[in-house]
Amino acid sequence: MRRSIAIVLWLGLVASPQISAAQVAALTPEAKQEVVAKAAAALADGYVYPDRGRQAGAALQKSLEAGNYAAIADKAAFAARLTADLQAVTHDKHMRVMDPGGPPPAGAPAGPPPRSRAGFIRVDRLQGNIGYIALAGFPAPGMFKDAADAAMRAVEGTDALIIDMRRNGGGSPEAVAYLCSFLFDPAQPTHLNDLIYRNRGTETFRTQTFFTVAVPSHYLGKPVILITSPHTFSGGEEFTNDLKVLKRARVVGETTGGGANPGGVQPVGAGLLLFVPGGRAENPITKTSWEGVGVIPDVPTAPQAAFAAAYRAALEAAPAAPRRAALKARLAATGGEAEAWTEAALQTPRTERSPRAEAALRGVIEHTQRGDFDAAALTPDLAEAVKPSMPDVRKVLADLGPLQSLTFKEVDMMGADVYHATFAHGGMDWVIYLTDDGKIAAVFYPVPPVISPSPAKAS
């Protein structure tokens, strides 16, 4: 489930939910009881469909009492069984229990996640002057905007655009709206989607509306083709559905995964996390969502033929050019993927560390330890998002003691810098992502720190 957790973290949290040593101990009967009780309470308090949430929690309790979980000793297996039991009641594709240290879930895309710049895996010009973007996800807007601006500038001179969504697992709805905005007339804001959220602990609801927003360039009057698969999920499906309903893109490929209910993760004991969908999507035109059914392509295509079908559609929809007939003939004979047809790589993911990241991370840690959190160093949306977390983070850092060193580890798969921080009483990894102008767009520690007791505490 590592990939699912990463998507949540990239929405701008300063830290993952804290998991104590007691929570990751052996999966005892008492631990299972705690997980079921906490899951039931979280569902009753926050699931977007209150009655169904209470029913799902009751189903877990009934299954526990019947001994259905007694023989399960492995956390990943327990998480998978709880997920199956929850989905049997809710039929909600987002509803799941996750083991952060466990193997990827069944049905996840094969292999490691692709390297990207804030979700943008590839930005190419294909032969025939066709733009091509492969997009893995929609991270928080502070991260996403610079990468989206650069990608759309790079393809603005092409005659048609393919956006490959086959590995897009979703993310921020604000980022979805931002990318959609490049494709619509800025003179007339376009209503894209609504998210209807339950107010926690009540049976009242609020609605968040999403319109196109100001962007620095536009891709207007040109064909757009989207490629989809069953791994296109959540925010990736929203982007696809928005453009399909508004007739701004043609969808080629397979029906998407069918998850339309946004939410967040909560720790439920034993080191497990529960994703609770607290909202539901509603398209302003159809008054429906893709939950449970997915987004059905305009041109259903087998997986091995999806890119070729999309490329052919782009060549046919773009203004006539002498080369295109020959390209279509070659395509029919050879097929292949984007690599075989790329004329120029217009943007590639970063693999070298940012020269400014170490100083920025040191500033975050030291300011937080002193209690004078430097909001000016963060993008505005991140500064707002992390405010509630700061007291807890400050306590963690106080237990660790003074910062002694930062050691660069890698550029991660989303293009962020990963550092190991050594403190007087322990260590932890940190992840930091900077915008082009040096603002911090994401910063968090992905796992709990290792804290050794100081001599004073040990005595």
Side-chain angles (χ1 to χ4, degrees):
M1 290 289 182
R2 295 183 185 92
R3 183 170 178 271
S4 299
I5 298 299
I7 291 171
V8 175
L9 289 169
W10 280 116
L11 299 185
L13 300 179
V14 75
S16 60
Q18 288 304 290
I19 301 169
S20 68
Q23 286 177 305
V24 296
L27 202 55
T28 62
E30 293 76 19
K32 294 175 187 176
Q33 291 172 2
E34 179 190 14
V35 170
V36 168
K38 287 185 174 180
L43 293 168
D45 191 51
Y47 186 48
V48 64
Y49 301 106
D51 288 345
R52 213 179 301 168
R54 288 188 287 268
Q55 291 167 10
L60 293 188
Q61 188 64 43
K62 182 178 179 180
S63 195
L64 177 74
E65 292 170 358
N68 296 337
Y69 306 142
I72 302 175
D74 178 72
K75 284 200 304 175
F78 186 43
R81 176 59 189 272
L82 293 175
T83 297
D85 288 351
L86 289 171
Q87 291 190 358
V89 176
T90 64
H91 306 288
D92 190 315
K93 295 290 188 73
H94 273 93
M95 180 80 74
R96 59 198 183 275
V97 178
M98 299 171 283
D99 174 15
R115 184 171 292 280
S116 72
R117 178 187 175 186
F120 288 85
I121 306 167
R122 300 174 63 98
V123 181
D124 297 342
R125 183 177 64 249
L126 307 182
Q127 297 172 45
N129 201 35
I130 305 299
Y132 175 78
I133 293 173
L135 187 64
F138 291 95
M143 289 180 60
F144 187 74
K145 288 179 179 179
D146 278 355
D149 292 348
M152 295 306 295
R153 279 196 306 268
V155 300
E156 64 184 354
T158 58
D159 294 328
L161 177 60
I162 298 169
I163 305 179
D164 192 336
M165 304 290 290
R166 285 177 289 179
R167 291 181 67 106
N168 194 300
S172 161
E174 290 83 4
V176 171
Y178 191 79
L179 188 60
C180 285
S181 301
F182 288 90
L183 306 177
F184 292 93
D185 184 352
Q188 181 61 51
T190 300
H191 190 179
L192 299 167
N193 190 48
D194 291 332
L195 292 177
I196 301 168
Y197 288 101
R198 179 184 174 188
N199 296 311
R200 289 182 61 81
T202 76
E203 296 198 12
T204 63
F205 298 83
R206 66 190 187 279
T207 299
Q208 186 177 9
T209 60
F210 293 89
F211 285 79
T212 52
V213 297
V215 290
S217 65
H218 290 88
Y219 197 89
L220 305 179
K222 300 177 184 180
V224 178
I225 313 294
L226 307 182
I227 313 178
T228 58
S229 80
H231 301 303
T232 310
F233 194 70
S234 191
E237 295 179 275
E238 192 223 313
F239 180 77
T240 304
N241 193 64
D242 292 349
L243 298 186
K244 180 183 177 183
V245 170
L246 289 163
K247 304 187 186 305
R248 184 58 189 93
R250 193 176 188 195
V251 183
V252 174
E254 301 170 274
T255 300
T256 62
N261 297 336
V265 293
Q266 297 184 41
V268 288
L272 300 178
L273 303 173
L274 171 66
F275 189 99
V276 180
R280 63 180 179 86
E282 183 176 282
N283 183 274
I285 295 174
T286 66
K287 301 300 181 183
T288 63
S289 79
W290 57 94
E291 178 64 38
V293 296
V295 182
I296 299 170
D298 300 304
V299 184
T301 310
Q304 63 273 20
F307 170 77
Y311 188 24
R312 185 181 305 108
L315 290 168
E316 291 171 350
R323 293 180 63 202
R324 295 210 173 104
L327 285 171
K328 284 189 286 183
R330 280 177 50 208
L331 185 63
T334 61
E337 286 287 330
E339 294 86 345
W341 302 94
T342 296
E343 190 170 73
L346 306 177
Q347 176 180 305
T348 55
R350 179 172 62 87
T351 57
E352 299 295 325
R353 63 175 169 174
S354 166
R356 297 176 290 185
E358 181 176 346
L361 179 56
R362 185 179 298 276
V364 166
I365 293 171
E366 292 179 347
H367 275 284
T368 303
Q369 285 184 319
R370 291 197 302 264
D372 60 346
F373 173 58
D374 184 13
L378 278 59
T379 59
D381 62 308
L382 182 61
E384 188 64 29
V386 301
K387 282 180 183 177
S389 304
M390 295 317 297
D392 291 336
V393 178
R394 190 174 299 127
K395 182 180 184 305
V396 169
L397 294 178
D399 290 342
L400 284 164
L403 177 66
Q404 295 183 335
S405 65
L406 287 173
T407 304
F408 174 75
K409 294 183 67 175
E410 63 176 342
V411 176
D412 77 2
M413 303 309 287
M414 289 289 280
D417 293 281
V418 182
Y419 281 84
H420 182 75
T422 301
F423 298 84
H425 308 307
M428 62 197 302
D429 285 353
W430 285 81
V431 180
I432 185 167
Y433 186 99
L434 301 183
T435 63
D436 289 346
D437 63 0
K439 293 285 188 180
I440 301 170
V443 59
F444 59 87
Y445 48 90
V447 294
V450 176
I451 304 175
S452 59
S454 66
K457 291 182 179 178
S459 61

